[in-house]
């Protein structure tokens, strides 16, 4: 996955440059998901001015990665490009900031939003990594064909 330079808060950029977490946007999301093996976490930080916790989560994420690896559940990291993060998060049904979105083998697993105490984070991380693959909580509005017979709600 190619990293590219973008204008981002320093602690988000540090995840990319120091911890080799790729930037993810609409252009490379599909390729990133297709090339995943195992567990991965995509950080949707949001605007650190509006959501100051975003910076805290950016600092804690590498520590969570270390803790997870030490108990045999390593995960990779990625960071949503700030300019497209909100729209990208909405494609997965997420509207809370900051959010850690978990994927396994390229499939959605769950999300963990907000900042937490360390002990709580470790418990929530273990729970997230034990969660089976699922379907992202998108809007979920069913499509009805104009050719389909009229159905009632009862």
């Amino acid at each position: 996955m190619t990293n590219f330079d973008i204008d981002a808060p320093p602690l988000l950029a540090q995840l990319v440059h120091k911890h080799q977490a790729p930037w993810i946007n609409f252009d490379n999301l599909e390729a990133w998901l297709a090339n995943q093996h195992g567990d991965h976490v995509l950080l949707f930080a949001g605007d650190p001015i509006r959501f100051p916790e975003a910076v805290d989560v950016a600092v804690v994420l590498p520590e969570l990665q270390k803790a997870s690896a030490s108990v045999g559940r390593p995960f990779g990291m990625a960071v949503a490009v700030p300019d497209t993060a909100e729209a990208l998060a909405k494609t997965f049904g997420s509207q809370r900031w900051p959010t850690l979105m978990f994927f396994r083998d390229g499939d959605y697993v769950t999300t963990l939003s907000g900042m937490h105490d360390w002990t709580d984070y470790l418990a929530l991380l273990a729970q997230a990594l034990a969660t089976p693959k699922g379907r992202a909580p998108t809007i979920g509005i069913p499509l009805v064909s104009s050719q389909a017979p009229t159905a009632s709600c009862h």
Side-chain angles (χ1 to χ4, degrees):
M1 188 66 44
T2 305
N3 283 330
F4 39 91
D5 289 323
I6 64 161
D7 184 27
L11 290 170
L12 290 181
Q14 179 175 302
L15 289 172
V16 173
H17 299 292
K18 182 178 178 185
H19 299 284
Q20 292 75 46
W23 289 117
I24 302 297
N25 61 18
F26 284 103
D27 295 335
N28 65 357
L29 174 66
E30 191 173 314
W32 179 72
L33 290 171
N35 290 310
Q36 281 189 33
H37 302 288
D39 292 302
H40 286 75
V41 175
L42 176 55
L43 169 60
F44 291 92
D47 178 2
I49 303 294
R50 288 177 46 211
F51 308 105
E53 292 178 333
V55 176
D56 297 333
V57 173
V59 170
V60 169
L61 183 56
E63 298 306 315
L64 289 172
Q65 185 184 46
K66 287 179 198 172
S68 179
S70 73
V71 295
R73 288 302 307 256
F75 63 83
M77 295 185 289
V79 183
V81 173
D83 290 348
T84 60
E86 187 171 342
L88 189 61
K90 284 181 181 180
T91 66
F92 292 101
S94 181
Q95 297 182 22
R96 293 194 54 208
W97 304 98
T99 291
L100 298 176
M101 192 170 293
F102 291 77
F103 296 88
R104 184 170 305 117
D105 300 324
D107 295 319
Y108 175 86
V109 175
T110 192
T111 60
L112 177 55
S113 298
M115 182 65 189
H116 302 274
D117 290 333
W118 181 249
T119 305
D120 295 338
Y121 245 141
L122 291 177
L124 291 166
L125 175 65
Q127 182 181 13
L129 292 172
T131 299
K133 296 177 191 178
R135 188 173 79 68
T138 56
I139 298 171
I141 298 171
L143 297 177
V144 179
S145 169
S146 63
Q147 306 298 328
T150 305
S152 70
C153 61
H154 301 286

